[in-house]
Amino acid sequence: MTLYDVPAPAKLNLFLHVVGRRADGYHLLQTVFRFIDLCDTLHFDLRRDGVISRATELPGVPEEQDLTLRAAHALQRATGTKQGVQISLEKRIPQGGGLGGGSSDAASVLIALNKLWGTCLSRRELMDLALPLGADVPVFVFGQSAFAQGVGEDLTAVTLPEKAYLVAQPDASVPTPRIFSAPDLTRDSSSITMAVFLASPTSRFGRNDLEPVVYRLYPEVLGASRWLAEQGILRGTPVRMSGSGACLFAEFSELSEAVLAEAEISAIMRGADKTFSQTHPRFRLVQACTGLA
Ligand code: C5P
């Protein structure tokens, strides 16, 4: 038995503009994906019998929808390899939170099995296998923070300044298709060039066009966002949603600042009187983390 451990990082969308819609209903976006050091860990146990299986159940995710298994099958089909694998997953990235956890897990499966099976596909070929698994999967195969266009597959690497982030998870599960199909979604934001973004302070640039729809449909996300933004420790730092939510984040110059904000906000939440827990929006702090290159 040979076991291999591979990390799969989460992403934040520093901004997300919807600039159009394709005939098939998918939306044309402009966004910057930034990876953060909040990671799931995947364990691979190679099998010689060609079977692809999972050792861990994902609550609410049946086998046929499990992106890790679908990624492994896609690579097996594309290359004709006779090898198999048992995959287990240590989940730390909140599921369905707009942090790309499932997409990142799938990309890590493609990259890792391509090495472990010796199937030798190029990164470009892996990215082509990634796109049918989900619009956010190619950027994780790409492997670095990127300015993304198209539905998320047209990627240009960007070097971002060192920053830290505090991530919070409101108590809401937001299905992405519901947000993209909302009649009131802005679909005609004007396109920008990457240079415009790079010339601006990262946390202050642009907006997430999906926020107004999520805030309307899920008032607990709006409540959490407003409550966080009112805390003195954030000192006017914008609170923004990642992807289609529900996770929120605030950007800091240093990890120590994000850690301090995390400690102070946790203390407020813990120390507040009983009425506070009944009246304040329900959310949890995920963690303070560093932005990756
Ligand atoms: O590609 P993925 O499975 O992550 O997308 C989930 C849903 O989000 C799609 O079925 C589509 O409704 C919507 N979507 C979209 N435009 C994108 C990405 C996702 O409309 N660029």
Side-chain angles (χ1 to χ4, degrees):
M1 189 208 291
T2 326
L3 274 173
Y4 300 89
D5 295 346
V6 175
K11 58 83 175 165
L12 297 174
N13 295 92
L14 297 189
F15 68 89
L16 193 160
H17 298 169
V18 183
V19 298
R21 193 182 204 176
R22 287 196 322 205
D24 65 1
Y26 262 79
H27 290 78
L28 298 170
L29 310 175
Q30 285 196 317
T31 184
V32 163
F33 288 106
R34 171 150 223 184
F35 297 158
I36 52 175
D37 67 347
L38 165 66
C39 297
D40 291 340
T41 307
L42 292 136
H43 308 280
F44 299 96
D45 184 0
L46 297 185
R47 301 174 60 136
R48 289 172 193 278
D49 59 5
V51 173
I52 291 168
S53 58
R54 63 177 185 180
T56 35
E57 291 288 313
L58 272 180
V61 184
E63 279 211 19
E64 60 280 9
Q65 283 171 24
D66 187 324
L67 276 180
T68 61
L69 298 181
R70 289 180 52 205
H73 281 294
L75 183 65
Q76 198 186 45
R77 259 197 314 276
T79 60
T81 179
K82 300 278 179 280
Q83 300 180 79
V85 68
Q86 173 160 280
I87 303 171
S88 53
L89 182 57
E90 265 176 70
K91 254 322 215 190
R92 279 181 221 92
I93 305 172
Q95 273 174 263
L99 303 181
S103 301
S104 183
D105 297 341
S108 290
V109 167
L110 291 174
I111 294 166
L113 288 184
N114 189 43
K115 282 216 175 77
L116 298 173
W117 285 347
T119 43
C120 298
L121 295 193
S122 66
R123 195 165 288 265
R124 182 71 256 165
E125 289 169 319
L126 290 180
M127 285 170 66
D128 291 342
L129 282 185
L131 187 57
L133 299 170
D136 284 356
V137 186
V139 71
F140 289 103
V141 174
F142 190 64
Q144 46 186 322
S145 295
F147 178 68
Q149 302 187 85
V151 299
E153 84 295 2
D154 175 0
L155 298 163
T156 309
V158 286
T159 307
L160 298 170
E162 287 178 17
K163 297 284 179 190
Y165 300 88
L166 179 59
V167 180
Q169 182 185 19
D171 187 18
S173 168
V174 181
T176 303
R178 180 170 190 212
I179 305 310
F180 274 111
S181 60
D184 55 332
L185 175 67
T186 300
R187 297 187 168 87
D188 58 357
S189 284
S190 44
S191 291
I192 55 134
T193 60
M194 190 169 60
V196 170
F197 163 70
L198 290 175
S200 317
T202 53
S203 69
R204 308 224 168 235
F205 182 82
R207 58 198 176 272
N208 182 339
D209 281 335
L210 307 182
E211 265 175 33
V213 178
V214 174
Y215 287 173
R216 177 176 65 77
L217 293 171
Y218 300 88
E220 51 278 53
V221 185
L222 173 63
S225 172
R226 281 199 177 142
W227 186 86
L228 282 165
E230 280 162 12
Q231 303 314 301
I233 188 80
L234 292 190
R235 286 187 207 92
T237 309
V239 174
R240 189 164 287 170
M241 198 180 75
S242 182
S244 59
C247 284
L248 302 165
F249 66 94
E251 185 180 88
F252 299 84
S253 302
E254 307 276 343
L255 182 61
S256 58
E257 291 175 20
V259 168
L260 197 66
E262 181 179 30
E264 196 162 312
I265 291 171
S266 299
I268 294 169
M269 292 166 78
R270 267 198 317 274
D273 62 30
K274 287 204 181 80
T275 54
F276 177 84
S277 64
Q278 286 156 17
T279 54
H280 95 289
R282 280 200 308 260
F283 70 93
R284 70 178 187 103
L285 292 180
V286 179
Q287 77 178 57
C289 37
T290 307
L292 302 177

